[in-house]
Amino acid sequence: MVLVLFLALGVALAVQLAMVSDAEEFYSRIAEPDCGHLGQKTDMTQSRVPADEKKKDEGLSQLSRRVAALGKKYPEVVAWIRIPGTDLDYPVMLGEDNRFYLDHLPDGSKNSLGSLFLDVRCRKSSSNVIIYGHNASGGRMFGMLKRYEEQEFYSSHSSILLAVADAQYRCRIFAVRRVEAGSDAYTMQFETGEAFARYVRQAKSDAVCSTDLRYPDKARILTLSTCTGWGNERLLVQAFIW
């Protein structure tokens, strides 16, 4: 009986490792430098990137081209997210619900590593844009977000690059906090500017790490959400979409 159990665990581990390997190969392939080069001009008018930082963001327009190209092959690719100086460099999906991409790659193949995906409730007008991903081992997917609870890491990786097919954004992180799944932290629309400001104040108050960064007029929030391994607790890394 013990031998049978040992063999079963061995097979399960082998299958899991194979799936991770397949996922890594897939993501590596679609993230190749020339992937998605269409040669078209993209709209930088919404990027709000200061002139002295444009050189740092030379790859942003390439990410937009990648989104446009991948979207032709995988229609549910809606964005690309990258955190400079880390391995977080993935497409973002939008499925018909908030479950499918928990265990499917962008090509629709079953895989436990899953994909990063946008909350299905998100709209272009949403004030809080929420992206989910697994807290995977080895820092894969959103597994590296826990490092944002270290002040030094937080201070040296304060920007998130987000690209859609026709626009690019440099997002500035303002709070890292732990919340309960389904809490008010997942509010996506605010009836008034004061309601939005109140939300931001609460996020900073709850934060393990936060900043005094002020947000611009008509600001929106980008929320990266992953599990912590403790019941319904979730880790959020939140940034202003600049």
Side-chain angles (χ1 to χ4, degrees):
M1 185 67 179
V2 174
L3 178 59
V4 172
L5 179 60
F6 178 79
L7 290 174
L9 289 174
V11 170
L13 178 59
V15 170
Q16 179 67 18
L17 291 175
M19 294 185 82
V20 170
S21 178
D22 288 346
E24 289 185 326
E25 192 279 331
F26 175 84
Y27 284 120
S28 177
R29 185 173 69 252
I30 65 172
E32 291 175 357
D34 294 331
C35 176
H37 181 72
L38 300 180
Q40 83 264 26
K41 192 174 182 180
T42 55
D43 178 14
M44 288 296 290
T45 59
Q46 300 183 61
S47 66
R48 302 177 184 272
V49 178
D52 61 350
E53 293 183 352
K54 285 184 179 179
K55 187 174 181 180
K56 298 178 183 178
D57 293 341
E58 288 175 351
L60 268 172
S61 58
Q62 182 189 59
L63 295 186
S64 281
R65 291 194 294 271
R66 186 177 299 170
V67 171
L70 287 173
K72 293 182 178 180
K73 189 171 185 180
Y74 311 121
E76 293 185 335
V77 171
V78 293
W80 194 282
I81 186 170
R82 171 184 292 170
I83 298 183
T86 78
D87 291 331
L88 201 159
D89 194 19
Y90 295 106
V92 179
M93 312 303 294
L94 177 58
E96 295 182 358
D97 55 43
N98 284 341
R99 297 199 58 82
F100 182 79
Y101 285 109
L102 285 171
D103 55 7
H104 288 81
L105 298 181
D107 63 357
S109 61
K110 187 88 169 179
N111 194 291
S112 59
L113 201 61
S115 306
L116 303 186
F117 60 94
L118 194 66
D119 191 304
V120 72
R121 300 170 299 160
C122 277
R123 300 291 182 268
K124 287 185 177 181
S125 61
S126 295
S127 298
N128 187 9
V129 177
I130 303 172
I131 299 175
Y132 302 100
H134 283 306
N135 178 8
S137 63
R140 300 177 184 89
M141 308 312 288
F142 276 171
M144 53 72 62
L145 292 185
K146 54 182 168 286
R147 295 204 60 192
Y148 274 103
E149 294 184 294
E150 307 166 13
Q151 185 63 50
E152 184 176 354
F153 185 88
Y154 173 88
S155 299
S156 59
H157 299 83
S158 59
S159 294
I160 300 172
L161 307 184
L162 181 69
V164 293
D166 59 357
Q168 307 87 33
Y169 307 90
R170 173 180 287 272
C171 308
R172 300 291 192 179
I173 299 172
F174 70 89
V176 179
R177 55 175 170 154
R178 294 189 176 216
V179 303
E180 287 295 307
S183 70
D184 291 344
Y186 291 89
T187 300
M188 304 181 74
Q189 296 285 9
F190 304 93
E191 293 184 0
T192 65
E194 174 53 32
F196 181 86
R198 187 163 56 248
Y199 177 95
V200 171
R201 288 195 298 269
Q202 185 64 54
K204 290 184 176 182
S205 175
D206 294 341
V208 177
C209 294
S210 65
T211 178
D212 291 331
L213 180 69
R214 294 184 178 180
Y215 55 88
D217 292 338
K218 299 181 180 179
R220 292 191 295 159
I221 294 169
L222 173 65
T223 295
L224 310 185
S225 173
T226 192
C227 61
T228 65
W230 294 94
N232 288 324
E233 186 182 64
R234 301 292 184 265
L235 175 66
L236 305 186
V237 173
Q238 299 191 279
F240 293 126
I241 300 176
W242 220 256

